[in-house]
Amino acid sequence: MGSICGCINFYFQAKGAENILGFNESKARLGVFKNFYIRYLILAITLFIFVKFLRVNIFALLVGLVAVPLVLVLNGLISHKKEKKEY
């Protein structure tokens, strides 16, 4: 469940970033601000419902949430390391 929530959160983060392209700076900041807080508010409510009513394993839920960003960071580090070797 954590991985699914993390993937959905990441998807809406990417869509939010696409939507603000071409905006002026103040409008882009407002868009990012609203996108960030709305996404995490929905995520927090969803996780609260999971923990409260479905009795999920909290540790597994948190590991699943961290899995998406962790994979992205590791992928970036590996590709950066490969690019560095090519020079």
Side-chain angles (χ1 to χ4, degrees):
M1 293 212 179
S3 294
I4 292 170
C5 288
C7 289
I8 292 170
N9 186 32
F10 187 75
Y11 173 78
F12 284 112
Q13 180 181 5
K15 285 295 176 188
E18 286 177 9
N19 291 339
I20 63 165
L21 290 176
F23 287 174
N24 63 23
E25 184 178 345
S26 63
K27 196 170 182 181
R29 282 181 193 235
L30 181 62
V32 168
F33 180 79
K34 286 190 331 188
N35 180 284
F36 178 83
Y37 284 106
I38 290 171
R39 280 185 305 108
Y40 280 102
L41 178 65
I42 292 170
L43 184 64
I45 291 169
T46 304
L47 294 178
F48 176 76
I49 291 170
F50 285 166
V51 171
K52 184 74 174 172
F53 299 109
L54 298 179
R55 304 286 184 206
V56 296
N57 183 338
I58 295 173
F59 179 73
L61 187 68
L62 293 176
V63 168
L65 280 173
V66 175
V68 175
L70 183 64
V71 167
L72 292 173
V73 168
L74 290 176
N75 186 30
L77 289 173
I78 290 170
S79 65
H80 178 72
K81 193 173 183 179
K82 286 181 182 178
E83 288 175 5
K84 213 173 182 184
K85 285 184 179 180
E86 291 177 3
Y87 290 116

